[in-house]
Amino acid sequence: QVQLVESGGGLVQAGGSLRLSCAASGGSFSAYTMAWFRQAPGKGREFVGSINGGGSAVYGVEFVKGRYTISRDNAKNTVYLQMNSLKFEDTAVYYCAAKPTAVWPSYPYWGQGTQVTVSS
């Protein structure tokens, strides 16, 4: 059973930066595709981006403009989400997710989420 624990959320002023971390345990982390999602109040869950075991990242349509960067450290079983130039509308709960391979149809493993609040 894979367990995911996010950290790094908090309150930040608009224009600031945060780096979220997601520590994984219980699986073959280096083989897993890891992803970040977010859910803003009153909205559905959005796909932020994912990164495969080899470190290649892809981003959701709304997140390809370079403010967000996903990376991973397989030695630490951790995936990161660097968020820069934060905007009020980035306020959301951010979730880490994992799936065994890149072609797995869905993400069976999820963290509990970490709140990011951007003040305007």
Side-chain angles (χ1 to χ4, degrees), residues 33-85:
T33 290
M34 305 297 296
W36 288 97
F37 292 79
R38 75 179 189 184
Q39 187 164 17
K43 296 187 177 180
R45 188 171 292 178
E46 291 183 282
F47 172 73
V48 176
S50 65
I51 186 166
N52 66 14
S56 295
V58 295
Y59 297 90
V61 173
E62 298 296 323
F63 302 95
V64 296
K65 296 182 179 180
R67 294 192 302 119
Y68 285 35
T69 302
I70 298 174
S71 61
R72 67 190 294 160
D73 185 337
N74 287 340
K76 296 182 178 180
N77 286 3
T78 301
V79 63
Y80 303 98
L81 176 64
Q82 177 69 43
M83 304 184 293
N84 299 324
S85 302

Side-chain angles (χ1 to χ4, degrees), residues 94-112:
Y94 286 72
Y95 297 91
C96 173
K99 59 182 181 180
T101 69
V103 298
W104 205 262
S106 63
Y107 288 88
Y109 307 112
W110 291 81
Q112 81 288 351

